[in-house]
Amino acid sequence: MEKNIPEFTVLPKHIGVIMDGNGRWAKQRNLPRYKGHIEGAKTFRKIGEFAAELGIKCMTFYAFSTENWKRPQEEVDAIMQLFREYLNEAEERKEENREKGICLRFIGDRRGIPEDILALMEHIENESRYETKIILNLAINYGGRHEITQGVKKIAQRVLDGELSPEDINEDTLSDSLYTSGIPDPDLIIRPSGEYRLSNFLTWQSAYSEFWFSDVLWPDFTEDDLCKALQDFEKRNRRFGGI
Ligand code: IPE
Ligand code: IPE
Ligand code: MG
């Protein structure tokens, strides 16, 4: 059946999504929290595929922050197990993803991620690297401040090695030192679940992002919710400091 794909006058080049509210979704249903994460992973797939159909070129989904390690070990283990399952599934679906033109990438600090998960991540990234319809970045062990700190360390090392002089450091030098190097800054950041904060997501890159909040919990987030965010985005008057 042909799906009706809505059209928009302006589309964000890059959308960031903070996939929040999985735990509350499960609690509402008297289910263990990990069940919420399972549903959240399904929503990630659904929204990513829909965004590709809409013609959005890049999305970054916040899946696990550098602060989320503070959670009870049982929950961290369940989330890691879910990544494993998701990545194995993505590997099984590689032909389907190829047809859909999905390039899957991961951003975040790879240290600290279990070896087998890391190997799967690298494998999938490598296999999907030539796809051009949409880039789906999954932020795992990601923290904006940590990312900037790592970037600054890399720049400092280049200065020490004599490759770069301090007066040549500019905003592009810093942007290029981040995980998102080469990707435009997010035009739009979506946060569901009724929270109104960034929680260390794309700290540097969000300097001029538009924000869209919703009370919907991430597992309940639908294609229509994404369309609502895009309709609101169309109406935003972005000034970037001008008039
Ligand atoms: C987001 O959902 C997923 C992760 C942070 C891993 P939460 O687990 O934060 O869900 P709530 O905020 O407790 O409902
Ligand atoms: C942000 O959600 C991180 C992810 C969605 C991965 P959190 O649930 O960790 O954020 P806080 O703690 O409510 O700020
Ligand atoms: Mg949360």
Side-chain angles (χ1 to χ4, degrees), residues 2-220:
E2 267 303 295
K3 252 203 272 177
N4 214 353
I5 302 296
E7 284 190 23
F8 299 90
T9 49
V10 260
L11 271 182
K13 287 195 183 70
H14 178 188
I15 304 177
V17 180
I18 302 173
M19 303 193 283
D20 197 18
N22 296 349
R24 279 163 284 170
W25 183 93
K27 195 168 179 221
Q28 279 179 350
R29 288 161 180 76
N30 285 320
L31 295 169
R33 290 178 59 89
Y34 80 90
K35 294 269 189 193
H37 297 312
I38 293 178
E39 284 308 305
K42 289 186 198 161
T43 307
F44 158 68
R45 192 179 150 193
K46 173 181 80 184
I47 296 297
E49 290 180 4
F50 182 61
E53 292 178 34
L54 290 178
I56 290 160
K57 301 309 287 179
C58 179
M59 282 189 92
T60 299
F61 291 87
Y62 204 7
F64 192 84
S65 76
T66 45
E67 287 71 37
N68 288 146
W69 296 105
K70 286 184 208 155
R71 296 188 178 200
Q73 192 59 42
E74 194 185 274
E75 177 160 348
V76 170
D77 289 346
I79 293 171
M80 290 300 148
Q81 181 54 24
L82 202 65
F83 286 146
R84 220 171 251 121
E85 286 164 21
Y86 168 77
L87 294 167
N88 276 312
E89 239 181 74
E91 166 60 15
E92 282 164 24
R93 270 188 286 108
K94 70 176 171 208
E95 282 312 320
E96 192 188 325
N97 279 344
R98 193 164 288 154
E99 274 163 35
K100 291 181 174 148
I102 296 174
C103 170
L104 261 174
R105 291 188 193 166
F106 303 91
I107 64 168
D109 193 340
R110 300 197 176 201
R111 287 167 305 179
I113 294 176
E115 289 278 324
D116 64 314
I117 295 183
L118 211 54
L120 279 166
M121 280 161 52
E122 283 166 5
H123 180 71
I124 286 167
E125 263 183 341
N126 196 35
E127 267 185 343
S128 70
R129 72 188 187 282
Y130 296 120
E131 300 313 321
T132 55
K133 190 151 175 64
I134 193 168
I135 296 172
L136 296 183
N137 288 314
L138 201 55
I140 299 180
N141 195 18
Y142 175 87
R145 287 187 170 188
H146 181 70
E147 177 185 40
I148 295 168
T149 310
Q150 292 300 112
V152 168
K153 278 190 193 167
K154 278 191 256 171
I155 294 169
Q157 190 60 52
R158 286 177 58 203
V159 171
L160 270 181
D161 294 347
E163 284 173 28
L164 186 69
S165 68
E167 44 293 2
D168 291 336
I169 297 173
N170 56 29
E171 292 187 7
D172 289 339
T173 322
L174 204 85
S175 291
D176 289 344
S177 75
L178 304 178
Y179 303 121
T180 49
S181 169
I183 287 174
D185 287 340
D187 308 291
L188 174 65
I189 292 186
I190 295 175
R191 182 161 196 163
S193 92
E195 308 294 353
Y196 300 87
R197 54 177 173 266
L198 210 43
S199 301
N200 208 8
F201 184 51
L202 301 177
T203 310
W204 170 272
Q205 299 90 331
S206 62
Y208 266 104
S209 301
E210 297 292 327
F211 289 88
W212 194 82
F213 298 101
S214 151
D215 287 338
V216 173
L217 301 174
W218 176 249
D220 289 329

